[in-house]
Amino acid sequence: MSEQQSSTPPAPVTRLRDAGVAIWLDDLSRELVRSGELARLVAERGVVGVTTNPTIFAAALSRGDAYDEQLGRLAAAGVDVDEAVFTITTDDVREACDVLADVHRSTGGQDGCVSIEVDPRLARDTAATVETAKRLWEAVDRPNLYIKIPATVEGLPAISDVLAAGISVNVTLIFSLSRYAAVLDAHQTGLERAAAAGLELSTIRSVASFFVSRVDGAVDARLDALGSPDAESVRGTIALANARLAYALHQQVVSSDRWRALARAGAIAQRPLWASTGVKDPRYPDTLYVDQLVAPGVVNTMPGATLEAVADHGHVVPDTVTGTYTRSHEQIETLGNLGIDLDQVTVDLERDGVAKFEASWDELLQTVRAGLDAHAPEGTS
C-alpha cells in the first residue's frame, strides 16, 4: 500500500462515517499510543474514539515491558497496588485523549473521546461510584474524557449525579430495553440538574453502551438446546432485534417534549453506542454487528479485529435499523413463545458482566502487584 493510499480510509469505513456512525476502538495500551498506532488508526481507519475496560487494561499490563519504567518509579515511591493501577490507567487514558484532541476539536466535542471505567467492584455502590468518577475526571483532566459507569440499579443515580456535576459519562453494561429506558431517564435527570446549577450543557456529553454479541451468545445456546425449526428461525437475530428496538426507544426520547426543553437549553443527545460487536460465532459474518446496525447518530465501538474486517470487506449501506422495528418485535415474540425469557437472559448477562469485569480487575491488580514486587528496591519486596 502506498503512503497516499494508506492515509485514505477504506470505502466501508467512509460509508459508515457518511451514514452517521462514529467508529470507536475498543482497545487501549501504552504501546498502542506511543508507537503511533492509535494515530494511524485515526488517519487510516476512521477511528474517532477509544473505549477501555478492566479486561483491556489487564491484557495491556500482562504483555511486553511498556510499563516497567513506571512500575519501577511507583515501587520506589512505595505506592500501593490500588493507587498504582489508578495512576497507570489514568496516564494511558490521558495520553490517548491527547492523541484524539484534534478530532475532539474538529467535531465540536462530539467525538475524539476516550472512556475510562470506574472500578467495577463499586458497581453496587452509588456513592463510591460517584466519588471515584469525580476523582478520575480530575486526574485525567481532559475535556474529551468519558467516565464509564455500569447501568446497574445502583449505577442509575450515580449516572445522574455525575452528569449533574458536569462530567461526561459512558453508561456501560446495558443489555435490556427496560434498563436502557431507565438510563435515558437518568441522563435527562442529570442534565436537568446541571442546568439548574447553571452549568453549560453543551459540554456535557454521554453515550449509552448497549451490548450486542453477548445477547446472541446467551440466547443462541438456549435455542440450540431446543433444536426445533422455530428455534433455528430466530437464531442469530435476537441481539440485532434488541439493539434495533433500543434505537427506536432513543428516537422516541429525543422527540419528547422533555428532551426538546433540554435541547433548547443547549443539551446534546446521548448517543446509542453498540458495544460487544466482535462476532463470537464463526457461523455468522464477522462484520454482522456493524453492517446490520447502521443508523444516524450512533457509535460502534469495535475490537481491532472487527475494525480490520470492516475495513477489508464490510458491507455498509445507509440505515439498516429504521424500518426493522415490527420484524424485531416479532422475533422477540417468537423467542418468548419458545419459552425463553429475554428479560431473564439480560438480568443474567448484567450479573455475569459485572462479575467478569471484577475478575479482570483482580487480574489487573495481581499483574501490577507482581510488577511492583519485581521492581521494588532491594530488601523491601
Side-chain angles (χ1 to χ4, degrees):
M1 183 182 291
S2 71
E3 267 188 44
Q4 184 174 6
Q5 290 174 320
S6 69
S7 64
T8 303
V13 168
T14 301
R15 286 196 291 269
L16 271 180
R17 181 197 62 203
D18 293 346
V21 179
I23 297 173
W24 289 12
L25 178 70
D26 194 24
D27 192 17
L28 181 63
S29 68
R30 190 156 296 178
E31 181 182 5
L32 185 77
V33 174
R34 295 186 179 177
S35 67
E37 177 63 8
L38 178 57
R40 185 190 72 81
L41 292 172
V42 171
E44 299 180 11
R45 292 294 182 264
V47 169
V48 293
V50 171
T51 54
T52 66
N53 60 45
T55 304
I56 288 170
F57 278 128
L61 266 292
S62 66
R63 61 177 183 261
D65 57 3
Y67 298 90
D68 286 358
E69 181 183 348
Q70 185 173 27
L71 285 166
R73 286 189 279 107
L74 293 170
V79 172
D80 68 32
V81 65
D82 286 296
E83 190 62 26
V85 167
F86 185 92
T87 300
I88 290 168
T89 56
T90 53
D91 283 358
D92 277 6
V93 167
R94 188 183 307 107
E95 290 190 24
C97 282
D98 290 343
V99 171
L100 288 161
D102 286 345
V103 175
H104 189 249
R105 283 189 290 269
S106 67
T107 61
Q110 181 79 331
D111 285 302
C113 301
V114 184
S115 299
I116 187 169
E117 188 141 5
V118 169
D119 182 340
R121 297 172 298 180
L122 306 177
R124 308 296 180 186
D125 187 331
T126 301
T129 294
V130 174
E131 179 184 353
T132 304
K134 291 178 178 179
R135 187 167 174 243
L136 287 166
W137 181 259
E138 291 171 1
V140 175
D141 191 26
R142 294 293 186 272
N144 52 333
L145 177 70
Y146 281 76
I147 306 298
K148 292 180 80 173
I149 298 176
T152 57
V153 169
E154 299 82 359
L156 293 171
I159 292 160
S160 295
D161 288 351
V162 172
L163 288 165
I167 297 171
S168 297
V169 173
N170 178 342
V171 184
T172 188
L173 285 178
I174 308 172
F175 296 97
S176 72
L177 294 174
S178 60
R179 186 56 55 84
Y180 181 43
V183 166
L184 288 163
D185 178 70
H187 174 246
Q188 292 175 97
T189 297
L191 291 183
E192 287 162 348
R193 288 169 52 193
L199 299 184
E200 174 55 56
L201 296 189
S202 65
T203 65
I204 308 171
R205 302 301 179 107
S206 185
V207 292
S209 295
F210 201 89
F211 279 52
V212 185
S213 68
R214 294 189 196 184
V215 173
D216 270 346
V219 169
D220 285 355
R222 291 164 170 80
L223 292 170
D224 290 346
L226 293 175
S228 67
D230 283 346
E232 182 64 26
S233 73
V234 291
R235 194 182 194 283
T237 69
I238 301 303
L240 291 173
N242 199 40
R244 286 164 169 170
L245 293 177
Y247 187 75
L249 190 56
H250 160 74
Q251 289 181 306
Q252 291 172 19
V253 166
V254 297
S255 299
S256 68
D257 290 341
R258 183 185 183 189
W259 177 254
R260 288 193 183 102
L262 281 165
R264 286 194 296 270
I268 305 299
Q270 181 187 64
R271 286 184 292 174
L273 180 152
W274 310 131
S276 181
T277 57
V279 175
K280 297 174 175 61
D281 190 325
R283 285 173 286 187
Y284 300 152
D286 56 1
T287 62
L288 176 68
Y289 303 122
V290 179
D291 296 345
Q292 296 302 314
L293 289 174
V294 176
V298 302
V299 178
N300 195 306
T301 181
M302 310 175 200
T306 301
L307 175 59
E308 289 306 314
V310 170
D312 181 66
H313 54 266
H315 182 65
V316 178
V317 297
D319 202 344
T320 53
V321 175
T322 306
T324 66
Y325 307 141
T326 298
R327 179 60 178 150
S328 296
H329 279 296
E330 290 171 350
Q331 289 164 335
I332 291 176
E333 184 179 357
T334 298
L335 187 72
N337 292 338
L338 290 166
I340 298 173
D341 184 350
L342 184 58
D343 288 339
Q344 186 58 53
V345 169
T346 58
V347 167
D348 294 344
L349 284 169
E350 179 187 292
R351 182 198 62 232
D352 294 347
V354 171
K356 286 176 182 176
F357 278 174
E358 287 177 343
S360 294
W361 194 264
D362 287 341
E363 181 185 348
L364 176 58
L365 291 171
Q366 292 169 14
T367 301
V368 172
R369 185 179 292 111
L372 292 172
D373 289 345
H375 292 86
E378 190 172 345
T380 63
S381 62

